[in-house]
Amino acid sequence: MSPPRTDRGRLLLVLVLAAATAAFTATVPLLRDWFDLRVYYGAVNTWIHHGGRLYDYRVPGTAYGFTYPPFAAVSMLPMTLVGLRTAIVGSVLLNLAALALILHVLTEGAWRRYGWFGCALGACLLALFEPLRDTFSFGQVNLLLLALVLTDAWLLTTGRERRAGAGIGLAAAIKLTPALFIGLLLLARRWRAAAVAGAVTAAATALAALVAPGASRFYWTEALWDTSRVGRLGYVSNQSLQGILARLGDTHRTAWAAAVLVVLGVWAWRTRRALAAGDWPAAFALTGATACLVSPITWVHHLVWLLPAFAVLVRTGHPRVAGALYAVLCTSVVWLWFHDASGVDGFLGSNTYTWITLGLLLWLPAGQLRAGRLPLRRSSSATAPAPSTAAPQTAPATGHSRPRSGAAATGAGCAAARVACGPGRGLNRSASSEPTGSTRPAASNPQSSSRRASS
């Protein structure tokens, strides 16, 4: 079926799709009532305006409080100057800006070629993606962190290595999971960028220690090691290796530690192969997927870190695979096993998103650059040809080739735009007492039936 050829037809199609998307996002995904943002807002306001201790704060009527490193609270201090509604608006705008930057990096600006029609289609497709829906409606920070990390990816792939590292360092200081990208820089032997990232993380952490010494001491000595503060490990939203084991009834750390070591070994092996071919997009995508797997808790909204992997699938000529996996991540299918994840069907179904993440780690094409693309140079000074006095020389282009002419124009969405999107069908489910599983979450139980969580 070909797209409408007239502007009127395109506008009608966009309006129909926008209405369907709005109905879908208002019913099936269920609203989270900006719960995590209310945790951030309440914690920093109580700390600054009422003299309370940062990690003692609880959202009224719940047992849930702040769980990020102290620097995250320091970076959120501007919220103490505004009301909650203004903070919510600011969160939405910041997430939109971060998403625009992410799409620009992942698609290399290809979305500009498709005009308003392609961008509108892409926006509808992206709005169906469950991790994105939850990131916005929780008021989460994952898109902001991904934007910081991908800024460094862009610097590395465009020969601006001397400026790289700060984004990864800031992301790791705000939330620990992005610290794995420092490991990526070390694997790539980008010593300067790794040193910058480590120094920025250390400096931000030291700043937080100066501003909030008591909170810093408590976090690094107690809160960091207590995963129960974040939420119940066996909760179906936890799509990590630890989540699989917890739903199987394994509460010991031995099996999880062994699984993490195996996954890190596979990540190092596959990432080194990607780096050897100069395939930085695949290296960053593999690292994002691995971070989701090895983190003790990876809520569904954390899976925005898989967006680079979908971009790689499309770039390497696998748009159908990308679209199929993307469509599954739009369906909220894991919630079918919210009440009971036992049995073979529970083992397979409740961990669907983890299987997708693991599959991307194992089979994501790496080192398969498009024809005409040159491997990334280690540094412009080390590989640039010596100037010739005989004739002027034109430097070879190092960017990606243009999308195939047959690719569908879907803006920030599918094939040519590098980000794989697919329609997903929502699954109705009964309301629960958790914000990741209820239309209007009961104030008493956002992430776990017995523990608090803000992640």
Side-chain angles (χ1 to χ4, degrees), residues 19-37:
T21 300
F24 179 85
T25 55
T27 56
V28 177
L30 311 180
L31 299 177
R32 317 307 188 194
D33 203 22
W34 289 279
F35 183 86
D36 286 358
L37 180 64

Side-chain angles (χ1 to χ4, degrees), residues 36 60 68 75-76 107 120 329 376 440:
D36 286 358
Y68 290 168
S75 66
M76 295 174 184
T107 67
L329 281 162
L376 176 70
R440 285 292 172 184

Side-chain angles (χ1 to χ4, degrees), residues 15 27-28 36 44 114 129 170 184 199 210 226 249 277 304 341 378 381 392 417 420:
L15 291 176
T27 56
V28 177
D36 286 358
V44 296
Y114 305 113
F129 191 50
L170 281 174
L184 168 61
L210 289 174
D226 184 6
V304 293
R378 281 192 173 272
S381 61

Side-chain angles (χ1 to χ4, degrees), residues 337-435:
W337 291 270
F338 172 75
H339 294 292
D340 183 9
S342 62
V344 175
D345 65 316
F347 174 70
L348 297 175
S350 68
N351 302 310
T352 299
Y353 296 171
T354 313
W355 305 137
I356 290 176
T357 308
L358 188 59
L360 290 171
L361 172 64
L362 295 175
W363 293 293
L364 185 74
Q368 300 180 18
L369 300 176
R370 283 189 170 188
R373 177 179 175 178
L374 301 179
L376 176 70
R377 299 172 293 179
R378 281 192 173 272
S379 67
S380 56
S381 61
T383 60
S388 171
T389 57
Q393 185 172 345
T394 302
T398 58
H400 292 300
S401 58
R402 288 180 177 271
R404 301 174 187 175
S405 59
T410 56
C414 294
R418 305 279 207 276
V419 178
C421 304
R425 297 176 66 95
L427 298 173
N428 291 322
R429 55 184 182 274
S430 60
S432 75
S433 60
E434 319 210 18

Side-chain angles (χ1 to χ4, degrees), residues 81-107:
L81 304 176
V82 300
L84 177 59
R85 291 184 179 179
T86 303
I88 290 173
V89 172
S91 170
V92 172
L93 294 177
L94 284 174
N95 276 323
L96 285 173
L99 181 59
L101 176 60
I102 290 166
L103 294 177
H104 180 72
V105 172
L106 293 181
T107 67

Side-chain angles (χ1 to χ4, degrees), residues 74-291:
V74 172
S75 66
M76 295 174 184
L77 286 178
M79 284 196 297
T80 63
L81 304 176
V82 300
L84 177 59
R85 291 184 179 179
T86 303
I88 290 173
V89 172
S91 170
V92 172
L93 294 177
L94 284 174
N95 276 323
L96 285 173
L99 181 59
L101 176 60
I102 290 166
L103 294 177
H104 180 72
V105 172
L106 293 181
T107 67
E108 296 176 334
W111 58 272
R112 292 177 176 175
R113 303 189 188 108
Y114 305 113
W116 70 269
F117 181 61
C119 290
L121 293 182
C124 291
L125 293 172
L126 285 168
L128 299 176
F129 191 50
E130 185 177 2
L132 274 179
R133 300 190 318 245
D134 281 359
T135 293
F136 276 90
S137 60
F138 266 124
Q140 258 288 335
V141 299
N142 295 294
L143 282 177
L144 301 176
L145 302 183
L146 180 57
L148 287 172
V149 168
L150 288 182
T151 297
D152 277 346
W154 177 78
L155 292 173
L156 288 164
T157 56
T158 54
R160 297 172 173 86
E161 181 179 346
R162 293 179 64 85
R163 303 178 185 178
I168 291 174
L170 281 174
I174 294 172
K175 196 171 183 179
L176 298 180
T177 305
L180 187 61
F181 287 91
I182 301 179
L184 168 61
L185 297 176
L186 294 174
L187 279 179
R189 298 184 180 181
R190 295 300 196 261
W191 310 121
R192 178 187 177 89
V196 169
V200 169
T201 301
T205 303
L207 173 63
L210 289 174
V211 174
S216 295
R217 187 182 311 108
F218 176 78
Y219 179 82
W220 296 109
T221 60
E222 296 186 39
L224 172 62
W225 315 104
D226 184 6
T227 56
S228 65
R229 289 177 54 88
V230 182
R232 181 166 53 90
L233 294 176
Y235 181 44
V236 73
S237 183
N238 184 15
Q239 293 293 306
S240 68
L241 296 174
Q242 182 76 291
I244 293 178
L245 294 172
R247 284 186 284 278
L248 289 174
D250 186 350
T251 58
H252 301 289
R253 297 293 181 91
T254 305
W256 173 69
V260 166
L261 288 176
V262 171
V263 166
L264 288 176
V266 173
W267 163 72
W269 170 61
R270 299 217 66 216
T271 300
R272 286 183 66 88
R273 293 188 62 183
L275 292 169
D279 193 351
W280 277 92
F284 271 82
L286 289 169
T287 305
T290 302

